[in-house]
Amino acid sequence: MKIYKYIRQKPFSINYDNNYTILDLASLFLKEDNDSVIIVDDEKPIYIITNTDLIHYFLQNDEKLSIKEIIEKYPKQIIVVNKNDDIYDAYKKMRAASIEHLIVVDDDGKLVGEVYQKDLVMKFVEFALKDELTGLNNSRFLDTIIQRYNGSNIKIGVIFIDIDDFKYFNDEYGHQVGDEVLKFVAKKIKESIREVDFGFRYGGDEFVVMVFEQPKEIVLKIAKRIFDKITSSINSFGKVGVSVGVAMYPEDNNDLNKVIELADKELYIAKNTGKGRIESVN
């Protein structure tokens, strides 16, 4: 993943040849509500002054020095990354230098923005919990949700979805089309559920949806909505069929893992009785 996707808006910067003193900078920091200023020469970053630096300058009675004089008195090397660098490399640089953000430049070395360590950490967490291909939650996050709600009194409807004859798409058109089919199904799942509910790519061509605090009849309606959205669309790769199984926690079993297994069993009943069906625990 490239840095340019995570750049914050262009940071507070001042040209090297202006006549600002450190006292002027302190006033600007308060006015702009910034924690750093980047000094540029011909739009290229050459120095950075942070809140911590300002405190140091005041303690040294340097508040009347100009930016040029400060740079001469306190030389330091700034750390920059190119906007096309990988975010993991940027994160390693921040950790190695014990800094919270990095200056980002373009191929000409000109300032384009900053990236912050906390933004990248949040993105890494998202990577760990999301399926990269479909954007749905992954099985690791499903395990977390199971641990969170197993044994609770929260009502959860589990919808298990499997793509019918998925091997056909891969064999007939190749894995790239197979990936498009998976992304299509994931998109229809996202369109069919509320923000408080969860969609997961369980593995391969299997998906799980968890619907919270809804009676079984509503869960079945949501399952039907997902089914209809997927099966009624005609795509460049043709029509996609799915089989669906539904079970309820704690109504059908007070172990959420067992409820997922029950939904999976209902799915295979649908598979074995003609495919393209929705089955649920009675």
Side-chain angles (χ1 to χ4, degrees):
M1 301 293 288
K2 303 299 183 183
I3 282 294
Y4 68 83
K5 294 184 178 181
Y6 307 102
I7 294 173
R8 292 196 182 184
Q9 64 183 18
K10 197 165 184 178
F12 179 33
S13 63
I14 291 177
N15 211 49
Y16 171 72
D17 59 6
N18 69 43
N19 295 315
Y20 283 161
T21 65
I22 293 305
L23 194 58
D24 295 328
L25 274 187
S27 298
L28 281 173
F29 268 52
L30 291 173
K31 181 180 178 181
E32 300 290 337
D33 192 25
N34 278 297
D35 59 3
S36 65
V37 59
I38 296 171
I39 312 303
V40 297
D41 185 16
D42 191 26
E43 299 183 53
K44 297 178 180 180
I46 60 170
Y47 200 79
I48 186 169
I49 297 174
T50 67
N51 277 332
T52 303
D53 291 329
L54 283 183
I55 294 170
H56 175 73
Y57 302 151
F58 276 99
L59 290 174
Q60 297 300 317
N61 298 313
D62 288 333
E63 65 271 15
K64 294 183 179 179
L65 293 183
S66 70
I67 290 174
K68 284 184 179 180
E69 290 171 329
I70 285 293
I71 292 174
E72 290 172 3
K73 185 172 182 178
Y74 301 104
K76 62 180 174 181
Q77 183 180 7
I78 61 169
I79 303 174
V80 303
V81 289
N82 185 278
K83 66 178 184 177
N84 293 310
D85 285 350
D86 187 87
I87 63 171
Y88 294 101
D89 293 334
Y91 179 72
K92 289 176 185 176
K93 282 187 178 182
M94 282 187 270
R95 289 294 301 273
S98 299
I99 55 179
E100 294 299 319
H101 52 92
L102 277 175
I103 299 167
V104 184
V105 298
D106 62 16
D107 292 336
D108 295 323
K110 293 184 177 181
L111 177 67
V112 295
E114 287 179 292
V115 289
Y116 284 72
Q117 186 177 137
K118 61 183 178 182
D119 292 341
L120 299 189
V121 169
M122 289 304 297
K123 184 53 62 176
F124 295 152
V125 170
E126 183 180 327
F127 289 163
L129 300 178
K130 293 282 187 182
D131 176 63
E132 185 175 354
L133 178 66
T134 65
L136 290 175
N137 301 297
N138 61 24
S139 56
R140 285 190 295 272
F141 189 46
L142 176 59
D143 291 339
T144 301
I145 294 299
I146 291 170
Q147 291 176 22
R148 167 67 179 83
Y149 290 102
N150 212 7
S152 74
N153 294 321
I154 302 295
K155 186 179 292 186
I156 303 172
V158 176
I159 303 170
F160 214 120
I161 303 160
D162 182 87
I163 301 174
D164 294 333
D165 303 314
F166 179 68
K167 187 174 183 293
Y168 161 79
F169 292 103
N170 282 328
D171 293 347
E172 187 72 16
Y173 301 108
H175 288 283
Q176 187 171 355
V177 169
D179 287 349
E180 290 304 311
V181 173
L182 292 170
K183 288 190 281 188
F184 162 74
V185 171
K187 180 174 181 289
K188 296 305 177 183
I189 289 172
K190 292 175 195 173
E191 291 174 356
S192 303
I193 62 177
R194 304 168 301 169
E195 288 189 8
V196 297
D197 301 323
F198 292 107
F200 307 88
R201 185 181 177 196
Y202 191 72
D205 61 330
E206 293 182 326
F207 301 85
V208 168
V209 172
M210 285 186 171
V211 179
F212 287 78
E213 294 288 29
Q214 294 293 330
K216 185 174 184 178
E217 56 267 27
I218 297 298
V219 175
L220 287 170
K221 284 183 179 180
I222 293 170
K224 182 69 163 52
R225 183 191 308 154
I226 296 170
F227 180 89
D228 288 343
K229 278 181 174 287
I230 294 170
T231 59
S232 65
S233 299
I234 300 177
N235 307 279
S236 58
F237 40 76
K239 294 193 73 172
V240 178
V242 290
S243 297
V244 179
V246 178
M248 299 293 297
Y249 170 87
E251 180 180 328
D252 295 323
N253 196 294
N254 59 9
D255 184 332
L256 190 48
N257 285 293
K258 296 292 185 183
V259 172
I260 293 172
E261 290 178 12
L262 287 173
D264 191 20
K265 287 180 181 177
E266 293 298 322
L267 161 68
Y268 277 93
I269 291 172
K271 285 274 191 189
N272 294 328
T273 54
K275 302 178 183 177
R277 298 164 55 91
I278 300 173
E279 295 287 344
S280 69
V281 178
N282 293 327

